[in-house]
Amino acid sequence: MREKIKEQLDLLKAKGAHYVDARWYPREDSNFLFMWNGNLKENNASSQSGMGVRVLYNGAWGFSASSDLTNPNAIFDRAFDNARIASERVTFPIRLAEKEAIVDSFNSPNQIDPFIVGLDEKVAFLQKMDAALNQPGVVQRFSLLEFVRKQIIFMDSEGSEIEKNIIEVFPGIQAMGIDKDGGMQRRKYAPGRSGATRGWESINETDFLTNAERIVSELNQVLVADDAPNGKMSVILLNGIMFLQTHETIGHALELDRILGYELSFAGGSFVRLEDFGNLRYGSEKLTARANALEPNSPGSFGFDDDGVPAQDNLLIDKGILVGAITGRQMVEEANAKAKKQIFDGSSGANRATSFYRVPIERMTNINIDPGTDGSLEDIIADTKYGLVLDGDKSWSIGSNREQFHFACDIGWLVEDGQKKQVVKNPTYRGETLPFYNSLSAVGDESTWHVHYVENCGKGAPNQIMQLGHGIPVCRFDNVQVGE
Amino acid sequence: MSNQVIDLLQKLRQSTIKKGLQALISYHEEDSYLMRFANSAISLNTNEHLISLDFIAFDGRKKVSYSMIADPCDFESMEKGLDTLVEMLPHAQALSYDPTFPVYEKDVVDERSFDPALATLTNEERLAYFNTLAEGLESEDVKLSGIFSSGTTTTAQISTANEHTQYFRSTDAQVTAVLSSEGLKWEVNAEQSAQKKSDLDAEGLHTDLALLVKHYQEDQSVQLPVGKYTVVLGPAATAELSNIMTYYGMTGGALMQGYSFLKEEDQGKHLFSERINLVDDPREVEIYAQNADRFGMERKPFPLISEGRFQAFMWDQDSADEFGKTPTGHDVSHTSLVMDGGDKSIATLKDLLEMDREEDILYVPYIHYMNVVNPTQGMVTGSSRFGALFLKKDGSVQVPYNVRLTQKFSDFFGERVQWMSKEQVAYNVSSSYGRRDPTALKVPRFICVKEIEISHSNPSY
């Protein structure tokens, strides 16, 4: 197949294409097990294979994909034809930032391939989790395991040939109960990605059992709790909500395709403008954020993006000042041209596609916030006059330019005069992105920092689901509107 | 009907039986085309041809499944999928209830929603459509974005119980056109759902866009004070609210899992406005209805709300099996929801703008990023987007910055409903996250609701 792809890359170049690439997935396997109240509701294996071809012709993209590889040349022909039609309506001819031709491979770090682990062992894990969650107060419970293994061959007309072999493991548990007012409440747990590998060995049964006991205990406290207070106060966001705050209001806001208006018909734009880079005070001096695709154990680390650019660690916000974005080869060229100055020094290696049948777009890698110097969670609580400690991503809704947001959490703890007090239920908070990050008053140290994975980030048309990570500390924000 | 599809299913059925499996075999084929626009250019022109197979094997209370995106010529890989099921089944854990094994009693063929002309729409026609809808409206500041997504979806099923097959084929198109100001960052849109080529109406979208752009360029912008407003919902807002309300509130699974804002004893109760009639209607071809569910149950009109009374929960097969209920033909990838029109003839945005009004009205065509804050209270939140207007009592119009609405379903569809348009439109809610699954609702063009609370108001676009 590689020879056939090479022939077609050369052929389309000879026909006038400026650039061509192909992503051939010889095989992608996944395995999903889902146990609900003791019933193994889903026990699914799946596989897919196929090829996607992207052609740049006269400043416009064409893409085509198929699972039918009987005649791969037809995929190249359709992609070329799609580009030819697209080139009839061009306003800014697409060009790609320079990159080196790379012949290399990437293998995600793992010790035990989850696909060679027996089904009995996987079901036994779920049964243990189910038993651990099956406690008084819990009316619904589930545990899940999801595994992905994919082989991707990337080849382009610039001479790159990259093979990626990636394994991902996504475990999780959740317990639900009915509160004193008849409302459904929940607590859930998915492990952080602190280890160096991401195979079956990364699932730590003891850790899960410890956390199953914790979330059941916390759930039972929520079930008898009063509603969270309304009003302006400090909020201390634990990892289970701070990851999402970061994701929605730093990550998505800094995707360069959104900033340039390429998502306006679906996901939305960004309040960030090109002139903001290097100038905009995004947050307080305590805020330093980065896109680090080099974390060892995260789905946001992938070796090379789907432009064939190596994964990188880049600053996005430096001590509160906006300095970088999440970029691919096309967008950095357009941004620099529109700004009439060099804002971006090449692609940051974040152009990714969810499958062979989707086109690469700017996606988050690991959008992290650096640990701070304000101590442990306990230290931050002790330094807080009045507020809430919040955890759990119950719901989220963000303005179309990421300028404002509303989050609901699974649990809150009242904080008064430096003391963590009783649990409260149904906490929500909302705010405007820039004032919110400028109210960042404390950032936890390394002891509070964890990599949290996201397996369902949606974007693009046609829509794409992407997996990524967020390394985040506990953070405190002041004068936040809570309730409503 | 495609003999190739049926032949493949029959061949797979024979292989499945030979391997000693009792199984349901499902086929999904999509031929998808998407032209995407951004910054007044075609930012992407793509097509995908994908064939997926799903096998669910049953052994008493044990159930396992295998899915694949398949090369139709690679039967060997399909057989390997069946071998995987053979390996998995002994290790599966038995369910605590008896899952129903599908036995089709007859052949079903439903191609009512298929239009050959839409299936063969060309790239040139998609481009011409967008050129027409945007004609004269773009400028240095105002840029065109959007999608023209169209395609053909074929699904089919067979079980090892007998040789009967089910076969469904439909065409669909979903068009979203956005005009946005680069400088001010406002954005207006016009959308269309189509099931056949003759549904496509680029001129109609042009009319709506031109009207909205005129108001956004000429009228005063305003940050509305938070508080209660009389709100007119556009079809996008009504359809998304209805869709989420039925998904979270009106399925048997949500009820039994404790997520629904409705309770079993609410069936028959007057919980919504008497003006609201909502039915899942498999007769509605333009919203991609199909006449049988995955387990072979014939689908019939299923009233959810009749004159404000909640009627019944929808039960898919697995939930019905688990909780001892009777399935209602809802083992489907999408429902076909229809909300009846009202008694006020307001068919277009122009009609709405010219309507006599006795109070200020906030027009919210679209609610962006809607999410459920509290499912058991039926509370949702989201922000206005894509062309909100503030229609002043004195006849003037202002352009509001986007606002956030955090309300209960009963606030939107309860006693506060003032009037509903007689005219209905199909609104496309298809998602292309996974397999193509054309989904639309038919809803009144406008619904007016009083005392909707605005909890946050943006200080700019």
Side-chain angles (χ1 to χ4, degrees):
Chain A
M1 182 61 82
R2 291 184 193 224
E3 279 307 309
K4 285 183 182 174
I5 293 171
K6 180 77 173 56
E7 280 173 22
Q8 288 299 311
L9 295 174
D10 293 341
L11 188 66
L12 291 196
K13 278 286 281 183
K15 286 169 77 173
H18 177 74
Y19 169 86
V20 189
D21 66 31
R23 280 175 298 111
W24 169 42
Y25 283 51
R27 192 169 173 94
E28 176 174 341
D29 296 305
S30 61
N31 182 198
F32 180 62
L33 295 99
F34 182 74
M35 185 170 284
W36 184 287
N37 291 346
N39 273 313
L40 190 60
K41 286 276 194 177
E42 290 286 342
N43 186 357
N44 177 264
S46 66
S47 67
Q48 56 179 277
S49 62
M51 189 191 301
V53 173
R54 190 169 60 148
V55 175
L56 181 58
Y57 175 79
N58 272 355
W61 282 123
F63 179 77
S64 183
S66 180
S67 57
D68 183 352
L69 298 183
T70 316
N71 178 17
N73 299 1
I75 308 173
F76 285 85
D77 290 343
R78 280 195 298 270
F80 185 79
D81 195 49
N82 286 339
R84 188 182 51 75
I85 288 290
S87 70
E88 292 182 19
R89 205 183 214 275
V90 169
T91 49
F92 182 89
I94 294 165
R95 55 178 194 254
L96 302 176
E98 293 295 318
K99 65 152 183 152
E100 289 184 16
I102 293 172
V103 179
D104 206 341
S105 62
F106 172 78
N107 296 299
S108 61
N110 56 283
Q111 293 168 8
I112 303 172
D113 181 349
F115 289 85
I116 63 168
V117 175
L119 188 54
D120 287 340
E121 196 174 341
K122 294 171 182 170
V123 173
F125 174 82
L126 294 179
Q127 287 170 333
K128 279 183 192 167
M129 295 307 113
D130 185 74
L133 296 173
N134 190 13
Q135 303 296 331
V138 177
V139 298
Q140 307 280 341
R141 61 193 188 275
F142 69 72
S143 46
L144 63 88
L145 290 170
E146 185 175 7
F147 310 104
V148 178
R149 179 179 63 189
K150 51 190 167 188
Q151 180 189 15
I152 305 168
I153 313 294
F154 170 88
M155 297 172 69
D156 70 18
S157 57
E158 297 174 347
S160 288
E161 184 170 339
I162 298 166
E163 177 170 341
K164 293 193 280 189
N165 291 283
I166 292 175
I167 285 176
E168 303 291 358
V169 175
F170 302 109
I173 55 176
Q174 181 168 311
M176 290 151 280
I178 304 296
D179 68 31
K180 62 181 183 180
D181 299 317
M184 176 62 86
Q185 302 290 346
R186 70 171 198 189
R187 289 295 284 139
K188 63 179 183 176
Y189 174 68
R193 297 303 187 95
S194 55
T197 65
R198 47 174 132 160
W200 171 259
E201 72 284 354
S202 66
I203 300 175
N204 182 331
E205 191 174 297
T206 305
D207 172 65
F208 261 93
L209 291 171
T210 302
N211 280 287
E213 189 177 342
R214 175 180 62 82
I215 65 172
V216 168
S217 168
E218 289 176 356
L219 175 68
N220 275 295
Q221 293 172 64
V222 172
L223 299 185
V224 296
D226 292 330
D227 282 331
N230 287 2
K232 293 213 167 180
M233 62 191 76
S234 297
V235 293
I236 300 169
L237 303 186
L238 303 187
N239 303 80
I241 183 67
M242 188 61 210
F243 89 94
L244 191 61
Q245 180 73 52
T246 306
H247 179 92
E248 301 291 1
T249 56
I250 293 179
H252 279 307
L254 297 185
E255 291 162 341
L256 191 53
D257 56 344
R258 287 185 70 123
I259 293 169
L260 291 173
Y262 281 86
E263 279 288 327
L264 282 185
S265 60
F266 178 60
S270 172
F271 64 88
V272 171
R273 297 166 189 264
L274 292 177
E275 55 268 34
D276 291 335
F277 289 95
N279 303 311
L280 178 68
R281 176 154 286 286
Y282 206 102
S284 76
E285 288 197 352
K286 291 179 179 288
L287 180 65
T288 293
R290 62 183 65 244
N292 181 3
L294 304 177
E295 298 289 348
N297 177 13
S298 170
S301 303
F302 39 78
F304 304 88
D305 77 354
D306 291 321
D307 280 341
V309 175
Q312 302 164 29
D313 177 7
N314 292 308
L315 270 178
L316 298 172
I317 299 168
D318 187 13
K319 297 185 177 67
I321 303 297
L322 178 66
V323 295
I326 297 161
T327 68
R329 295 181 71 192
Q330 174 189 346
M331 296 301 160
V332 294
E333 282 290 298
E334 183 168 333
N336 288 339
K338 285 190 169 169
K340 297 186 173 64
K341 63 177 182 178
Q342 180 118 342
I343 304 174
F344 302 104
D345 187 19
S347 166
S348 70
N351 220 28
R352 293 198 287 160
T354 190
S355 63
F356 71 85
Y357 52 86
R358 292 289 189 259
V359 72
I361 54 177
E362 271 76 4
R363 300 309 301 250
M364 291 178 228
T365 57
N366 300 295
I367 306 304
N368 301 347
I369 291 179
D370 284 359
T373 56
D374 295 304
S376 65
L377 171 61
E378 291 71 27
D379 293 332
I380 293 174
I381 291 171
D383 182 48
T384 303
K385 181 75 177 163
Y386 179 65
L388 288 175
V389 176
L390 299 174
D391 199 20
D393 55 337
K394 190 175 186 177
S395 95
W396 53 98
S397 176
I398 302 92
S400 58
N401 285 318
R402 302 282 148 167
E403 74 288 4
Q404 48 90 2
F405 56 83
H406 180 287
F407 289 99
C409 302
D410 292 331
I411 189 170
W413 290 266
L414 201 60
V415 175
E416 289 176 335
D417 296 325
Q419 299 290 312
K420 189 176 171 187
K421 300 281 179 78
Q422 71 271 23
V423 164
V424 292
K425 72 177 193 293
N426 298 330
T428 64
Y429 69 98
R430 63 176 170 80
E432 292 174 13
T433 302
L434 291 182
F436 182 76
Y437 281 107
N438 276 282
S439 77
L440 176 63
S441 61
V443 178
D445 63 17
E446 287 276 0
S447 71
T448 73
W449 193 91
H450 300 288
V451 179
H452 196 109
Y453 72 80
V454 174
E455 60 170 325
N456 58 351
C457 173
K459 186 184 170 187
N463 306 150
Q464 303 193 40
I465 294 287
M466 187 52 76
Q467 295 76 44
L468 52 109
H470 295 291
I472 25 111
V474 168
C475 291
R476 184 185 64 201
F477 301 86
D478 294 333
N479 202 30
V480 176
Q481 179 65 50
V482 169
E484 299 177 352
Chain B
M1 179 174 66
S2 164
N3 285 330
Q4 281 182 327
V5 174
I6 300 303
D7 288 351
L8 176 63
L9 288 180
Q10 295 288 3
K11 195 173 161 189
L12 281 167
R13 176 175 175 268
Q14 291 302 323
S15 287
T16 309
I17 291 170
K18 273 186 196 160
K19 291 177 190 294
L21 290 171
Q22 188 185 32
L24 164 66
I25 305 165
S26 301
Y27 176 95
H28 179 282
E29 179 177 356
E30 67 174 286
D31 194 14
S32 295
Y33 298 83
L34 188 138
M35 190 174 277
R36 193 172 198 202
F37 296 80
N39 295 315
S40 289
I42 297 176
S43 59
L44 176 67
N45 191 21
T46 176
N47 74 281
E48 298 132 27
H49 181 230
L50 302 171
I51 293 169
S52 304
L53 291 167
D54 298 301
F55 307 94
I56 305 175
F58 296 73
D59 180 12
R61 289 190 164 190
K62 290 184 176 180
K63 200 166 72 164
V64 296
S65 62
Y66 185 82
S67 308
M68 62 189 302
I69 293 180
D71 181 338
C73 301
D74 185 3
F75 196 75
E76 194 182 329
S77 288
M78 299 176 202
E79 291 216 299
K80 280 183 185 168
L82 292 170
D83 291 338
T84 302
L85 288 176
V86 171
E87 289 168 18
M88 290 169 69
L89 202 49
H91 305 284
Q93 179 195 268
L95 296 165
S96 62
Y97 56 91
D98 295 318
T100 295
F101 178 66
V103 179
Y104 301 119
E105 293 177 352
K106 59 181 182 182
D107 288 335
V108 171
V109 177
D110 186 355
E111 297 184 277
R112 292 173 297 158
S113 296
F114 179 75
D115 175 46
L118 187 56
T120 53
L121 202 70
T122 64
N123 269 326
E124 287 80 2
E125 287 172 308
R126 279 182 276 273
L127 176 56
Y129 179 101
F130 254 79
N131 285 338
T132 300
L133 69 83
E135 191 172 2
L137 299 177
E138 297 164 89
S139 67
E140 272 299 303
D141 180 59
V142 178
K143 302 294 187 193
L144 173 70
S145 298
I147 59 160
F148 193 126
S149 169
S150 64
T152 302
T153 308
T154 305
T155 57
Q157 294 100 35
I158 194 168
S159 94
T160 51
N162 58 45
E163 293 186 345
H164 288 307
T165 55
Q166 299 201 125
Y167 180 91
F168 309 94
R169 187 162 62 147
S170 61
T171 45
D172 70 288
Q174 179 182 22
V175 179
T176 299
V178 177
L179 288 168
S180 56
S181 161
E182 272 196 338
L184 294 173
K185 294 210 170 196
W186 54 254
E187 37 184 11
V188 300
N189 86 349
E191 298 186 88
Q192 167 153 49
S193 178
Q195 173 269 315
K196 54 187 185 300
K197 187 177 177 182
S198 58
D199 292 336
L200 294 172
D201 178 18
E203 287 81 8
L205 267 66
H206 181 275
T207 302
D208 284 352
L209 284 171
L211 189 58
L212 282 167
V213 168
K214 183 173 183 295
H215 282 288
Y216 268 67
Q217 287 180 325
E218 296 178 3
D219 293 336
Q220 182 193 356
S221 56
V222 58
Q223 181 182 16
L224 292 176
V226 296
K228 290 186 174 176
Y229 289 82
T230 294
V231 167
V232 169
L233 301 172
T238 301
E240 293 284 4
L241 280 166
S242 304
N243 209 29
I244 292 179
M245 177 176 73
T246 51
Y247 178 80
Y248 274 94
M250 299 182 181
T251 66
L255 169 72
M256 299 310 290
Q257 290 161 12
Y259 279 111
S260 174
F261 66 97
L262 296 167
K263 298 180 176 56
E264 201 146 19
E265 56 269 28
D266 286 337
Q267 293 175 108
K269 283 189 182 169
H270 189 165
L271 303 175
F272 303 94
S273 164
E274 283 184 0
R275 300 170 195 270
I276 302 286
N277 290 290
L278 184 66
V279 61
D280 175 27
D281 194 341
R283 298 169 301 183
E284 292 281 354
V285 172
E286 71 174 308
I287 53 172
Y288 322 113
Q290 65 182 54
N291 59 12
D293 81 352
R294 200 168 55 126
F295 281 73
M297 177 168 280
E298 184 179 354
R299 280 174 45 74
K300 296 174 180 169
F302 188 86
L304 292 160
I305 303 171
S306 299
E307 295 179 346
R309 289 185 189 280
F310 172 59
Q311 295 298 305
F313 292 94
M314 299 177 280
W315 290 93
D316 63 44
Q317 188 68 56
D318 185 64
S319 297
D321 288 343
E322 181 173 2
F323 300 110
K325 301 289 184 180
T326 303
T328 53
H330 284 97
D331 220 288
V332 287
S333 58
H334 63 268
T335 51
S336 302
L337 297 175
V338 178
M339 184 179 283
D340 281 359
D343 52 13
K344 199 155 185 157
S345 185
I346 301 179
T348 66
L349 184 56
K350 185 167 177 286
D351 292 345
L352 179 69
L353 287 163
E354 291 174 352
M355 179 188 81
D356 289 338
R357 40 188 185 259
E358 295 167 355
E359 59 184 331
D360 296 343
I361 288 174
L362 175 61
Y363 170 55
V364 176
Y366 185 99
I367 302 178
H368 176 75
Y369 219 128
M370 203 185 304
N371 208 335
V372 179
V373 178
N374 189 325
T376 38
Q377 290 179 5
M379 181 178 284
V380 293
T381 190
S383 300
S384 64
R385 192 183 175 192
F386 288 143
L389 295 170
F390 191 52
L391 314 179
K392 302 276 287 180
K393 182 181 172 182
D394 63 10
S396 64
V397 177
Q398 293 179 330
V399 178
Y401 300 137
N402 285 327
V403 297
R404 177 169 291 283
L405 305 89
T406 304
Q407 296 277 263
K408 295 179 180 176
F409 294 121
S410 55
D411 296 325
F412 287 112
F413 297 127
E415 293 307 319
R416 300 182 198 169
V417 173
Q418 297 296 287
W419 54 261
M420 299 162 71
S421 288
K422 194 184 293 178
E423 297 80 7
Q424 295 164 284
V425 294
Y427 184 78
N428 199 309
V429 294
S430 301
S431 157
S432 54
Y433 276 117
R435 298 171 180 178
R436 189 169 201 89
D437 179 24
T439 309
L441 294 84
K442 197 168 169 181
V443 295
R445 181 67 176 84
F446 301 107
I447 296 182
C448 179
V449 190
K450 68 177 180 181
E451 293 180 20
I452 292 295
E453 178 119 20
I454 303 304
S455 60
H456 179 85
S457 183
N458 284 7
S460 63
Y461 286 114

